[in-house]
Amino acid sequence: MTSSKIELSVRNHDRDLAGMTYVYPVLSRRAGGVSVGVNLNPNNACNWHCVYCQVPDLVRGAAPLIDLARLEAELDGFLNALVNGDWLLRNAPEGAREVRDIALSGNGEPTSAAAFPEVVELIHRLRQKYGLTRVPLRLITNGSLLGRERVRAGIARMGEIGGEVWFKVDGGRPEDIERINGVRMPVARVVRNLAACAQLCPTWAQTCVFRWDGVGPDAQALAAYLDVLERAGSDRLRGVLLYGVARPSMQPEAPRVSPVSLDELECVAEAIRKKGLTVTVSP
């Protein structure tokens, strides 16, 4: 692991910042501090193509085979630097010098890794080793692979060890899902997967709101989105993580994507709250 100073910023989530294959630190708006990222998709491959995605050179596909020994060595060394060294003092801004989570995220869909359940166990061992069991393990996922037994097993294990899932839900109509996430997926499957995930592990819906060709989501799109949350079971969800685009998209659709105002985000948040859900807003 590099010992050089790293400039952490909410506007820079470069996975190569720390010079490692799998482990990268970020300053997370939604986590509220330093997030230790675990990138299981160093090949920049994802089964979705979200128009706001900040991953450069994104390709369709799945995670490669994971070198578990290398992942463990990288994470072990980095957690040691955080807990026993001065990494946070040197690299994190004042007021954000706290490890808020270890996040399975990165440059693609993490649950597409065949070793996903083994990675969950590996991270948990190191959390125990460094006394970080109060630091949650978070999975940031599009939720599309909940039909796979190994994915459900890994998520269920996360539920047992105090983890949580941030499950992407950006639209409630087939045309919205296809336009935003680049996939053709029945809404019923999104509902089913979200409900199943919430039964296995504490789950938040995470939703990106933005302008498309200068226009924000209309009333019909918002109503369909809210319907997905209700059908999945609003009472099962921890809430909704609502956020805007703080960093530029690296996809060909980038010129069509622009931020909404904080007032617009708050209007969406209020509509969600009326359904009985907790909402956090990150512009």
Side-chain angles (χ1 to χ4, degrees):
M1 184 184 70
T2 180
S3 60
S4 60
K5 184 175 175 61
I6 296 171
E7 295 293 338
L8 289 185
S9 165
V10 295
R11 297 188 180 277
N12 182 9
H13 283 196
D14 185 352
R15 287 12 171 190
D16 298 322
L17 208 59
M20 292 181 280
T21 298
Y22 298 111
V23 177
Y24 65 100
V26 298
L27 196 59
S28 172
R29 290 175 295 154
R30 281 166 286 164
V34 175
S35 174
V36 180
V38 177
N39 179 18
L40 300 185
N41 303 77
N43 59 349
N44 293 1
C46 188
N47 63 338
W48 284 22
H49 177 95
C50 298
V51 296
Y52 53 77
C53 182
Q54 293 100 29
V55 175
D57 304 316
L58 186 70
V59 296
R60 295 278 187 172
L65 291 176
I66 304 301
D67 184 340
L68 292 172
R70 181 167 190 165
L71 170 55
E72 184 157 9
E74 287 185 358
L75 187 57
D76 194 345
F78 191 61
L79 292 180
N80 184 57
L82 291 176
V83 174
N84 299 318
D86 63 351
W87 193 95
L88 287 170
L89 182 64
R90 289 189 298 109
N91 297 287
E94 190 173 353
R97 291 171 181 157
E98 183 177 356
V99 181
R100 301 295 295 181
D101 66 16
I102 300 173
L104 279 160
S105 181
N107 292 14
E109 174 50 43
T111 64
S112 68
F116 170 65
E118 289 77 11
V119 171
V120 170
E121 290 294 346
L122 182 160
I123 295 171
H124 182 50
R125 287 200 307 273
L126 293 178
R127 286 165 76 226
Q128 291 177 310
K129 177 178 179 179
Y130 289 102
L132 295 173
T133 53
R134 292 184 179 274
V135 174
L137 170 58
R138 289 191 170 113
L139 168 66
I140 301 175
T141 177
N142 61 36
S144 62
L145 303 178
L146 261 291
R148 297 181 180 180
E149 184 177 349
R150 287 178 63 80
V151 172
R152 292 195 304 274
I155 292 174
R157 179 59 176 149
M158 287 183 60
E160 294 170 355
I161 62 176
E164 68 178 27
V165 177
W166 293 359
F167 188 114
K168 183 188 301 292
V169 183
D170 291 324
R173 300 177 298 189
E175 60 267 32
D176 298 327
I177 296 168
E178 184 171 4
R179 173 175 55 84
I180 298 171
N181 306 123
V183 290
R184 293 182 178 179
M185 178 172 289
V187 175
R189 186 184 302 169
V190 178
V191 171
R192 183 171 65 249
N193 287 347
L194 179 57
C197 190
Q199 288 182 322
L200 295 169
C201 183
T203 298
W204 291 77
Q206 61 158 0
T207 301
C208 186
V209 180
F210 57 91
R211 291 181 178 276
W212 178 255
D213 292 337
V215 180
D218 60 23
Q220 290 75 25
L222 179 57
Y225 162 80
L226 294 172
D227 186 57
V228 167
L229 301 183
E230 287 191 299
R231 288 165 60 193
S234 299
D235 57 327
R236 297 192 188 111
L237 298 173
R238 285 293 176 93
V240 177
L241 303 169
L242 196 67
Y243 65 105
V245 288
R247 302 181 304 279
S249 167
M250 298 296 288
Q251 307 315 310
E253 298 88 352
R256 307 183 71 176
V257 176
S258 59
V260 296
S261 68
L262 178 57
D263 285 345
E264 288 172 298
L265 271 178
E266 288 291 355
C267 284
V268 175
E270 186 57 31
I272 298 170
R273 291 187 185 106
K274 287 179 178 177
K275 299 297 181 180
L277 283 159
T278 298
V279 185
T280 67
V281 177
S282 303

